[in-house]
Amino acid sequence: MNIELIEILNIVAGLILCVSFLDAVPSLQKFAKWLGGFDTIIGIVIIIYVIWAGLLVNLQGIFAIFAGLIMIVGILPAIPAVGKHLEKVAKWLGGFQGFIGIIVLLLGILGALDILV
């Protein structure tokens, strides 16, 4: 089993984004809330990694970008020229935060288990 960095990042992002669905597992929810304190940093790392590794053409990378945009919505206006447009997209995606979180978490888990290629 060879776990890629994108799978780990997707699991972390998924936990952060679907923290509200983790009521049944209090210790996991507590960990996800703690991770949420670093959501902007993690979002930046995800976006940079996906672009750098050329993962924009696979399912893991596309959903990782969605998750990253949701996580960095607060700093997007500071990006010249495209910040306002990306902020609108990120806010729209934020309406689906929990569902995107579940998808990203599942993609990360399935990828780590070598079920998803």
Side-chain angles (χ1 to χ4, degrees), residues 23 35 38 59 67 93 99 117:
D23 293 336
L35 281 173
F38 306 99
L59 202 55
L93 286 170
F99 298 113
V117 179

Side-chain angles (χ1 to χ4, degrees), residues 13-26:
L15 286 173
I16 292 170
L17 294 179
C18 69
V19 68
S20 61
F21 295 124
L22 297 175
D23 293 336
V25 190

Side-chain angles (χ1 to χ4, degrees), residues 12 15-17 19 29-42 71:
V12 169
L15 286 173
I16 292 170
L17 294 179
V19 68
Q29 186 179 41
K30 185 177 179 181
F31 177 64
K33 285 181 181 179
W34 177 79
L35 281 173
F38 306 99
D39 64 341
T40 303
I41 295 167
I42 294 168
M71 294 165 67

Side-chain angles (χ1 to χ4, degrees), residues 7-82:
E7 294 154 357
I8 294 168
L9 291 172
N10 277 343
I11 291 170
V12 169
L15 286 173
I16 292 170
L17 294 179
C18 69
V19 68
S20 61
F21 295 124
L22 297 175
D23 293 336
V25 190
S27 57
L28 189 57
Q29 186 179 41
K30 185 177 179 181
F31 177 64
K33 285 181 181 179
W34 177 79
L35 281 173
F38 306 99
D39 64 341
T40 303
I41 295 167
I42 294 168
I44 291 169
V45 169
I46 288 171
I47 291 170
I48 290 171
Y49 179 73
V50 168
I51 293 169
W52 176 72
L55 298 173
L56 285 170
V57 294
N58 75 20
L59 202 55
Q60 292 258 10
I62 292 167
F63 276 94
I65 288 289
F66 291 164
L69 283 173
I70 293 169
M71 294 165 67
I72 68 166
V73 70
I75 65 165
L76 287 173
I79 301 173
V82 295

